[in-house]
Amino acid sequence: MGSENWQYLERFFPIASFIAAIIGPKCEVVVHDISDPEHSIVFIENGYISGREVGDASTDLVLKILKSEAYHEEQYIANYKASGKFGQSFRSSTYYIKNDENKLVGLLCLNIDVTHMEVAAEWVQHILQGGPNPYVMPAAAEKSKEEKQTTEYLQGNADDLLQHMITSVIGKLKIPPERLSSQEKIEVVRELNELGVFLLKGGVSQVAASLSISEPTVYRYLQKLK
């Protein structure tokens, strides 16, 4: 990454430490350099929570953000759900780091581990409502409907992240990849492309292997989708 962009990211390192110190040890704070998706994490506090460290890869949400370019219209996305490779639940938020030309150069991400809070909340609801099926208050139900359905998978290994994204898409079809028609495989490639899978270097080869097709066929499908 160029030194100018690095200066923009470096400014957020002490802010990340500041946030982690305020919220506490259950809050992971990460700075991503979007120029290198395979090794995007350039700073992290409390990385033991997700098992990630400096030099690890982007997440599925980071790739989706880069592909959709929604950051042109927004400054951040807040309070969405994320999951960890150890089975944790997170309440997460992402701030877009931009340069003076309003170009995205990085991301500041907060991931608060709420796994035990969810268990405690369920227990409290059982106590308050006195039954196995706690009543959900209308206001809370309405609020959940209004929440953005943004999710994220916190995985530091690029190959594992790719496999997670590919499996998530193919798994929805409920039929073996080798039985998919050419058109169905094109649709899978389209969805994976929209998710940003092909921003990672191993994307084409892993998709080809998962769909039982050749890498040139994946490239041909991508050309058709342009």
Side-chain angles (χ1 to χ4, degrees):
M1 149 169 278
S3 59
E4 181 181 351
N5 284 345
W6 179 256
Q7 291 173 14
Y8 285 100
L9 297 178
E10 202 170 27
R11 295 173 189 171
F12 283 84
F13 294 177
I15 295 175
S17 297
F18 177 60
I19 293 170
I22 292 173
I23 301 179
K26 288 293 185 179
C27 177
E28 176 188 75
V29 190
V30 187
V31 178
H32 286 278
D33 166 12
I34 66 163
S35 71
D36 186 8
E38 285 85 8
H39 309 282
S40 68
I41 296 179
V42 292
F43 186 87
I44 188 167
E45 288 282 3
N46 297 332
Y48 61 85
I49 297 175
S50 68
R52 297 181 298 167
E53 59 187 21
V54 170
D56 276 345
S58 304
T59 67
D60 51 349
L61 179 61
V62 171
L63 296 177
K64 188 175 180 180
I65 288 171
L66 298 182
K67 193 66 181 177
S68 67
E69 299 187 350
Y71 52 83
H72 289 306
E73 308 298 329
E74 303 172 336
Q75 295 300 318
Y76 60 85
I77 48 176
N79 298 318
Y80 55 86
K81 294 182 179 180
S83 60
K85 63 182 180 180
F86 303 127
Q88 316 99 308
S89 297
F90 294 91
R91 175 67 66 174
S92 300
S93 300
T94 294
Y95 178 83
Y96 303 138
I97 302 173
K98 302 177 183 180
N99 62 17
D100 293 337
E101 287 74 45
N102 206 38
K103 179 182 177 182
L104 187 72
V105 297
L107 303 165
L108 174 67
C109 303
L110 280 69
N111 304 301
I112 302 174
D113 187 346
V114 296
T115 309
H116 294 91
M117 297 180 192
E118 289 181 340
V119 173
E122 182 179 0
W123 180 78
V124 170
Q125 284 291 334
H126 276 277
I127 295 298
L128 291 175
Q129 303 303 327
N133 298 306
Y135 173 69
V136 178
M137 295 180 65
E142 192 64 29
K143 181 179 179 182
S144 66
K145 290 180 182 178
E146 294 173 358
E147 273 189 1
K148 288 185 177 180
Q149 296 302 306
T150 303
T151 59
E152 184 174 24
Y153 180 60
L154 305 180
Q155 168 59 257
N157 182 281
D159 288 338
D160 289 346
L161 172 61
L162 275 172
Q163 196 55 55
H164 168 78
M165 297 174 73
I166 294 168
T167 301
S168 296
V169 172
I170 294 178
K172 293 187 295 186
L173 300 175
K174 301 187 184 304
I175 57 175
E178 61 271 13
R179 291 177 54 191
L180 296 174
S181 66
S182 295
Q183 187 56 45
E184 287 171 328
K185 290 180 179 179
I186 290 174
E187 285 303 307
V188 169
V189 170
R190 178 193 60 75
E191 186 170 352
L192 291 172
N193 185 44
E194 290 176 353
L195 293 175
V197 162
F198 301 108
L199 294 175
L200 297 176
K201 292 177 182 177
V204 170
S205 60
Q206 282 211 34
V207 170
S210 298
L211 290 177
S212 300
I213 57 179
S214 66
E215 292 184 25
T217 299
V218 175
Y219 283 115
R220 188 167 69 250
Y221 288 169
L222 288 171
Q223 282 295 118
K224 287 184 178 181
L225 294 170
K226 287 186 177 179

